[in-house]
């Protein structure tokens, strides 16, 4: 599978990695991944602090508009409810949140955005 350059750049840009610095940043991650592999440790995005920050900022940015829409009203309409359920499902399926935690996260992010 070919790497998704557009996605990688959008993540790197979250922490100010320039086009010229992307090669160095990616090599840094590969070195960490290789180090973990030699130690039989599992590497994920949280294993590298700058990558973790970038991924979390990207996720927050991508979900910001959806969360703002879904948390802006006390009685969501059918479309808002559908979006809330989609975001909750994504948080559970892809990020391991339980249903209660996913809903709490939506409420918390919504409260931050609605300040």
């Amino acid at each position: 599978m070919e790497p998704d350059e557009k996605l990688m750049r959008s993540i790197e840009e979250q922490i100010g990695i320039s086009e010229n610095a992307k090669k160095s940043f990616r090599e840094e991650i590969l070195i960490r991944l290789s180090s973990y592999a030699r130690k039989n440790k599992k590497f994920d995005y949280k294993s590298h602090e700058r990558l973790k920050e970038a991924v979390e900022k990207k996720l927050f940015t991508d979900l910001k508009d959806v969360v703002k829409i879904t948390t802006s009203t006390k009685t969501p309409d059918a479309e808002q409810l559908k979006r809330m359920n989609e975001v909750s499902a994504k948080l559970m399926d892809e990020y391991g949140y339980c249903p209660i935690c996913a809903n709490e996260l939506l409420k918390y992010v919504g409260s931050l955005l609605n300040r």
Side-chain angles (χ1 to χ4, degrees), residues 23-37:
K23 184 176 188 236
S24 176
F25 179 70
R26 293 173 187 180
E27 287 172 354
E28 183 183 316
I29 292 169
L30 287 174
I31 289 168
R32 178 76 54 91
L33 190 141
S34 176
S35 171
Y36 271 57

Side-chain angles (χ1 to χ4, degrees), residues 13-110:
E13 288 168 351
Q14 296 297 318
I15 56 169
I17 304 293
S18 70
E19 182 70 29
N20 293 334
K22 73 180 183 185
K23 184 176 188 236
S24 176
F25 179 70
R26 293 173 187 180
E27 287 172 354
E28 183 183 316
I29 292 169
L30 287 174
I31 289 168
R32 178 76 54 91
L33 190 141
S34 176
S35 171
Y36 271 57
R38 282 193 304 276
K39 297 174 186 175
N40 289 324
K41 290 173 67 178
K42 183 180 178 216
F43 180 89
D44 67 19
Y45 78 97
K46 294 179 262 183
S47 302
H48 186 280
E49 192 58 40
R50 290 177 68 210
L51 178 60
K52 176 182 180 283
E53 178 187 355
V55 168
E56 289 174 354
K57 283 183 174 182
K58 172 72 173 145
L59 176 62
F60 183 80
T61 300
D62 288 353
L63 293 177
K64 186 168 113 176
D65 292 334
V66 172
V67 171
K68 191 168 190 161
I69 290 168
T70 59
T71 60
S72 63
T73 180
K74 298 233 186 258
T75 53
D77 62 27
E79 182 62 28
Q80 290 170 322
L81 192 54
K82 179 182 173 208
R83 286 186 179 179
M84 288 172 74
N85 289 335
E86 288 171 354
V87 172
S88 259
K90 184 171 186 145
L91 289 169
M92 290 182 287
D93 296 342
E94 295 183 25
Y95 299 98
Y97 284 83
C98 73
I100 294 168
C101 295
N103 287 328
E104 288 300 315
L105 179 60
L106 282 174
K107 287 181 199 172
Y108 174 70
V109 173

